[in-house]
Amino acid sequence: MKITEKIKEPIAFEMELFEKKFHLAMSSKVALLNRITHYIVNRKGKQMRPMFVFLTAKMVSGGTVNDRTYRGASVIELIHTATLVHDDVVDDSNKRRGFFSINALWKNKIAVLVGDYLLSKGLLLSIDNNDFDLLKIISVAVREMSEGELLQIEKARRLDITEAIYYEIIRQKTATLIAACCSLGACAVAPEDKIVIEKMRKFGELIGMAFQIKDDLFDYTDDAIGKPTGIDIKEQKMTLPLIYTLNNCSSKEKSWLINSIKNHNKDKKRVKEVIDFVKQHGGLHYAEQKMIQFQQEALKLIEDFPESIYKESLVLMVNYVIERKI
């Protein structure tokens, strides 16, 4: 059995019902919109985010979910999908998970409007059901994701990202959405328990940090992950292995590295030299250690919850995040 199927096992029924509810949440009276949302739904990814919502809710409550849990999972997936559609426009990307992106098939204008539609659908789903506590969690995540993207753009221009700024960027860009999934899962079933909601938010944040560092490491490996090696360097993205190396080499080597990233990032031979240099200077090893540190901190946070199949699945999920090959 694949690891993702094993993780999903204790929430298989909920995930099936969620898919139906999610499809309904996307529906519109406009035929073009329905055609596009149908295309999106049929090309879904691993659905890690709704899985985090349901597993957290069931672990916290001792095995139960409610309508709020389904709405929380739907809102997260609607918002996440909206950000992906908008990201593809921003990045001028024609592919998403091996399929054509919305902007490649229907052009930028329609893609932006579809992203806006999905975002408003998500917000209204919360408002129409008076889930204002859930809406607050989501809205904070959306704000932070936008800030993280802009912070990265601002810093990338000058290539002056420190390790502390890098953590802030990935916390906002990636970790904040997984943090929202876990706090939503807890808040849906235990709205009064602020301590548990905050603990699960932190748990999700730490997993999100580990998840992003793992993504950064893929840039330096030849595993078939659907993302070519060296793509971050070509896009002048400052990732942890590179930041560590820049801070731990001679000023002459640092100048060569910065010059390579700024002016020779399209040169395949030079990009390979940068990758080799980062590997030799312990950049990958350092990033791996940091990733494991975030993973261990996350696992520590759920130690006190009673043993259950939901907790086991969450632990599997945390381990999968750093062991995945894609």
Side-chain angles (χ1 to χ4, degrees):
M1 187 189 285
K2 277 167 71 178
I3 181 89
T4 42
E5 283 166 20
K6 201 165 187 301
I7 293 165
K8 223 183 242 193
E9 231 178 356
I11 50 164
F13 170 78
E14 284 81 6
M15 288 300 289
E16 210 171 301
L17 185 53
F18 158 75
E19 289 208 13
K20 290 174 186 151
K21 287 177 182 276
F22 180 60
H23 208 151
L24 278 174
M26 273 188 162
S27 65
S28 154
K29 293 189 181 76
V30 179
L32 173 62
L33 253 175
N34 281 336
R35 214 160 50 240
I36 296 170
T37 54
H38 183 74
Y39 179 83
I40 291 169
V41 168
N42 286 344
R43 279 149 195 80
K44 62 183 183 296
K46 293 184 282 289
Q47 293 189 302
M48 274 176 66
R49 286 152 194 89
M51 282 158 71
F52 271 124
V53 175
F54 288 115
L55 287 172
T56 301
K58 290 191 115 180
M59 181 184 75
V60 166
S61 67
T64 58
V65 295
N66 53 22
D67 284 342
R68 273 163 56 87
T69 320
Y70 286 100
R71 289 198 295 270
S74 293
V75 171
I76 274 285
E77 201 63 352
L78 282 163
I79 304 273
H80 175 56
T81 309
T83 61
L84 294 184
V85 172
H86 281 164
D87 279 353
D88 287 340
V89 174
V90 170
D91 298 337
D92 203 12
S93 174
N94 290 323
K95 287 280 177 83
R96 165 73 58 185
R97 299 192 192 103
F99 295 100
F100 284 114
S101 57
I102 303 302
N103 49 302
L105 292 172
W106 284 281
K107 302 288 176 265
N108 284 352
K109 188 175 182 179
I110 288 176
V112 170
L113 293 169
V114 168
D116 290 346
Y117 171 77
L118 295 173
L119 183 66
S120 63
K121 270 287 201 185
L123 301 178
L124 282 168
L125 186 59
S126 296
I127 293 165
D128 290 345
N129 292 283
N130 294 323
D131 296 331
F132 296 109
D133 49 351
L134 304 186
L135 182 61
K136 185 171 184 186
I137 292 169
I138 298 283
S139 302
V140 168
V142 173
R143 184 199 70 204
E144 294 218 308
M145 284 156 69
S146 310
E147 283 179 351
E149 284 286 356
L150 288 163
L151 178 61
Q152 184 173 39
I153 290 166
E154 179 195 344
K155 294 295 176 185
R157 285 186 181 143
R158 297 206 300 270
L159 297 184
D160 64 346
I161 294 182
T162 61
E163 201 171 317
I165 291 171
Y166 165 81
Y167 290 136
E168 185 54 19
I169 289 170
I170 69 167
R171 186 191 68 74
Q172 291 187 316
K173 261 188 70 176
T174 305
T176 194
L177 195 63
I178 298 176
C181 295
C182 298
S183 54
L184 268 181
C187 188
V189 292
E192 306 306 317
D193 199 336
K194 300 289 182 266
I195 292 170
V196 167
I197 294 167
E198 174 52 27
K199 185 184 261 192
M200 292 317 296
R201 186 202 68 76
K202 188 67 187 165
F203 169 79
E205 185 175 282
L206 290 163
I207 297 166
M209 302 291 277
F211 183 91
Q212 186 56 53
I213 295 172
K214 179 67 175 179
D215 246 25
D216 292 351
L217 286 164
F218 280 141
D219 205 46
Y220 293 88
T221 57
D222 297 318
D223 296 340
I225 56 135
K227 164 179 158 178
T229 311
I231 197 86
D232 288 340
I233 295 165
K234 290 187 186 90
E235 292 175 1
Q236 298 189 8
K237 277 186 189 156
M238 298 294 280
T239 59
L240 190 55
L242 190 56
I243 292 164
Y244 173 82
T245 307
L246 279 167
N247 291 334
N248 291 276
C249 63
S250 69
S251 53
K252 192 178 172 188
E253 289 168 329
K254 190 173 181 175
S255 299
W256 174 80
L257 264 179
I258 288 175
N259 181 34
S260 302
I261 296 154
K262 265 192 169 166
N263 306 312
H264 304 279
N265 55 5
K266 302 284 188 283
D267 177 343
K268 280 184 181 167
K269 184 171 169 284
R270 190 74 168 255
V271 168
K272 191 182 180 315
E273 283 171 10
V274 170
I275 289 171
D276 291 341
F277 186 83
V278 169
K279 283 179 180 172
Q280 286 157 17
H281 283 73
L284 296 201
H285 177 72
Y286 180 79
E288 275 164 13
Q289 294 310 112
K290 284 288 177 188
M291 175 180 73
I292 291 163
Q293 196 181 317
F294 284 123
Q295 176 221 24
Q296 293 303 317
E297 281 178 42
L299 290 174
K300 219 176 241 113
L301 281 175
I302 58 169
E303 267 176 4
D304 296 341
F305 284 98
E307 292 307 314
S308 67
I309 49 173
Y310 318 112
K311 182 177 167 178
E312 276 171 34
S313 266
L314 270 178
V315 171
L316 266 181
M317 190 92 137
V318 174
N319 295 334
Y320 168 70
V321 157
I322 73 161
E323 286 160 12
R324 68 200 163 98
K325 298 279 185 283
I326 185 164

